[in-house]
Amino acid sequence: MVSLKDSQSVGKATDIVSKSTMTDGDVLLSVQGVSKKFCRDLKRSLIYGVQDIAAEMVGLRDSCDSLRKREFWALDNVSLELRRGTALGLVGSNGSGKSTLLRIIAGLIKPDAGTIEIKGKVAPLIALGAGFNPILTGRENIYANMSILGLSKAEIDERFDDVVEFAEIGDAIDSPVQSYSSGMAARLGFACAVHTEPDILLIDEVLAVGDMRFRVKCYRRLSELRKSGTSFIMVAHNPHVILSMCDQSAYLNRGKLLIVGDTPSVITKYEEDLFLGDSENKKIDEESSGSLTLPEKLEGTSYGLDIMSLHWENSQGQKLKSLKTANSAALCVKCRSDSNLDDIFLTVIVRQAFGEGESVLNLSSEKDDCKLNISAGISQVLLKMPSCSLKAGRYVMKVYLSQKGHRILDVVESFYFTVENIPGMSQCLFHQPHDWLIRAASHEDDSRSL
């Protein structure tokens, strides 16, 4: 077992010492008061590094609890435990300290303060294939990689065929790794790590390797390892991966540990902060009020039907600042028409404001074969939703009015709005309206049971 132990007290630089036992035999990892700081300036960082090494060699290094110019805390007094057979998820936005914590646990970097005690073998799945020598063959890299992870040649010989079969690289095993695709190298790296049968697996956004079938194979292998007593710490930005694999989770934000608990509760808190909390994008915050008024069009720019405003309202016609999952709502599109218009269609396309651009909802009165006839003057077109199926988050909507023949008359490219959460939605992709009931069995069912 390895312990990264504070040499004097919390706030001092840590030294590496060995321990043979831990207080609790079920605890494989104990992280106590760990802090790590980095410098944003490369040149200054190199100077600080030389100064720290020199000061530590002569035993004069000062307390590490203060920041020097251009430094920041990547981790700030983080404490947690990992027990045997437990899967712990790490969630948090980019830059929150998740990868830094995994690298400290893996021994790749040294903390500035705190204590880390590890019992057993650790296998880091942080950068699959990063340690492979591109000139060596896959076969040679398996022996080199697995020996680094602590296996003897005899143990590697025994597991070699299983590694090759799992990685699915076939005859390429005797080709140089530099000839592999990135996916082949990643699969081989994953296969090497999981066949070392470690006590602790550190997984940092590496389960996106290969196709869907191979990813399912990876999850199955991880489940088998967990049943045999292996513990995980997993970093993934997809909350459904964390929910499916981890029973406990920890939420990091700007280097601080905010909450540790059951995964659904932690994911709910994380998503509330991510989507509903203070946003760095002030424009989205200002435009997420649930309503939008458009400026009047300049002369000569109108096609005869202009959108004046958009807003959400409840069943009583009262304006809503935000929607709530499972509640009814209606989108009101206020428009002005120069004349009577027939065969008008309303189309609504919804995307996540912080997503990757894919639409999560696409509704069109044309697809529903519903033609709208608009009279001259000011009208309101309503899109009624008996139940909002969207999960909590910020969304951006594109709205346009068109006429038969796909002639667009007016469009609003970006209408931002917010959906509030309800219990249990952190474990779902969308809300399904439903009811529960008990029905008495029919006489036919009674006769069958006899």
Side-chain angles (χ1 to χ4, degrees):
M1 180 181 64
V2 176
S3 172
L4 299 179
K5 190 73 175 176
D6 187 352
S7 58
Q8 297 180 15
S9 62
V10 174
K12 302 291 185 180
T14 59
D15 295 323
I16 299 180
V17 299
S18 61
K19 292 172 70 80
S20 58
T21 59
M22 296 181 72
T23 305
D24 189 337
D26 291 330
V27 177
L28 297 182
L29 171 68
S30 177
V31 178
Q32 298 297 327
V34 166
S35 298
K36 179 65 180 178
K37 56 186 175 182
F38 293 114
C39 183
R40 301 186 190 278
D41 185 284
L42 177 59
K43 183 177 179 180
R44 192 177 296 275
S45 176
L46 294 174
I47 295 173
Y48 289 158
V50 173
Q51 291 175 345
D52 291 343
I53 292 172
E56 193 166 337
M57 289 178 64
V58 297
L60 297 177
R61 188 173 179 183
D62 297 329
S63 174
C64 298
D65 56 2
S66 61
L67 295 176
R68 293 168 290 193
K69 187 176 181 180
R70 298 288 290 165
E71 285 187 330
F72 68 96
W73 289 113
L75 290 175
D76 188 3
N77 195 27
V78 173
S79 299
L80 54 84
E81 287 185 342
L82 182 68
R83 296 180 178 273
R84 184 174 297 279
T86 299
L88 177 71
L90 285 183
V91 299
S93 57
N94 291 329
S96 61
K98 306 184 298 298
S99 296
T100 299
L101 180 58
L102 289 195
R103 281 163 169 73
I104 290 176
I105 295 172
L108 301 178
I109 57 177
K110 186 178 179 181
D112 290 307
T115 301
I116 297 180
E117 296 182 356
I118 302 171
K119 184 177 181 181
K121 185 192 306 178
V122 178
L125 293 175
I126 294 176
L128 293 179
F132 287 162
N133 188 322
I135 300 176
L136 299 180
T137 66
R139 182 185 301 273
E140 292 165 336
N141 271 293
I142 289 175
Y143 279 90
N145 188 271
M146 296 185 76
S147 62
I148 292 174
L149 293 175
L151 269 66
S152 65
K153 184 179 182 302
E155 291 174 320
I156 300 174
D157 289 338
E158 182 181 345
R159 304 174 194 187
F160 181 84
D161 291 339
D162 293 334
V163 172
V164 176
E165 181 183 356
F166 191 94
E168 300 178 0
I169 59 176
D171 296 337
I173 190 63
D174 290 312
S175 300
V177 167
Q178 64 184 0
S179 66
Y180 289 8
S181 67
S182 58
M184 291 172 64
R187 294 202 305 270
L188 186 58
F190 184 92
C192 288
V194 297
H195 282 86
T196 60
E197 298 180 0
D199 296 289
I200 300 174
L201 262 176
L202 306 178
I203 307 170
D204 188 3
E205 290 285 2
V206 297
L207 291 181
V209 299
D211 53 25
M212 179 60 72
R213 184 186 62 81
F214 187 81
R215 290 200 294 271
V216 171
K217 186 178 180 179
C218 293
Y219 290 129
R220 187 182 303 117
R221 176 62 180 171
L222 291 176
S223 297
E224 292 172 356
L225 287 174
R226 187 178 176 189
K227 290 178 181 177
S228 65
T230 298
S231 300
F232 307 146
I233 299 182
M234 177 180 291
V235 172
H237 283 99
N238 185 342
H240 299 285
V241 172
I242 299 293
L243 285 163
S244 63
M245 296 296 297
C246 305
D247 44 17
Q248 296 286 311
S249 289
Y251 174 18
L252 286 168
N253 185 28
R254 297 184 180 180
K256 292 184 177 294
L257 183 63
L258 297 187
I259 180 175
V260 179
D262 64 280
T263 295
S265 299
V266 173
I267 292 293
T268 298
K269 173 61 177 173
Y270 167 58
E271 290 185 337
E272 286 177 351
D273 290 350
L274 182 63
F275 296 121
L276 305 179
D278 294 333
S279 172
E280 296 180 1
N281 192 330
K282 295 182 179 179
K283 179 181 177 182
I284 292 180
D285 271 346
E286 292 169 357
E287 295 180 353
S288 297
S289 60
S291 62
L292 175 66
T293 300
L294 283 303
E296 188 172 347
K297 282 189 168 48
L298 298 176
E299 186 176 353
T301 61
S302 174
Y303 290 98
L305 180 63
D306 301 333
I307 298 176
M308 300 174 64
S309 65
L310 303 170
H311 70 262
W312 290 103
E313 62 182 45
N314 59 20
S315 56
Q316 288 76 43
Q318 300 169 326
K319 287 187 177 182
L320 298 172
K321 289 187 176 181
S322 62
L323 305 187
K324 191 168 186 177
T325 304
N327 284 12
S328 63
L331 174 68
C332 178
V333 181
K334 186 178 180 181
C335 53
R336 179 191 291 110
S337 177
D338 294 340
S339 59
N340 295 334
L341 295 174
D342 297 332
D343 298 340
I344 299 298
F345 302 108
L346 174 65
T347 301
V348 170
I349 302 173
V350 178
R351 295 179 173 85
Q352 285 187 319
F354 301 104
E356 298 178 355
E358 71 278 7
S359 62
V360 296
L361 194 62
N362 192 323
L363 303 176
S364 172
S365 61
E366 183 176 12
K367 293 178 182 178
D368 294 337
D369 197 23
C370 178
K371 300 176 182 179
L372 306 172
N373 299 322
I374 297 180
S375 302
I378 297 177
S379 305
Q380 291 184 340
V381 181
L382 295 180
L383 168 61
K384 291 189 174 182
M385 299 191 304
S387 177
C388 176
S389 296
L390 299 173
K391 62 184 299 184
R394 291 188 188 274
Y395 295 88
V396 58
M397 174 189 293
K398 179 179 180 179
V399 180
Y400 62 87
L401 291 168
S402 60
Q403 202 166 23
K404 192 172 182 179
H406 304 288
R407 176 174 172 244
I408 296 179
L409 300 175
D410 201 6
V411 60
V412 175
E413 291 288 347
S414 302
F415 171 46
Y416 291 93
F417 65 96
T418 300
V419 178
E420 298 178 12
N421 208 2
I422 60 172
M425 277 305 296
S426 61
Q427 297 173 277
C428 305
L429 288 173
F430 62 92
H431 171 72
Q432 170 60 55
H434 57 279
D435 290 310
W436 304 100
L437 57 88
I438 296 177
R439 184 174 63 186
S442 65
H443 293 298
E444 183 178 353
D445 293 330
D446 292 339
S447 62
R448 287 178 181 175
S449 65
L450 296 175

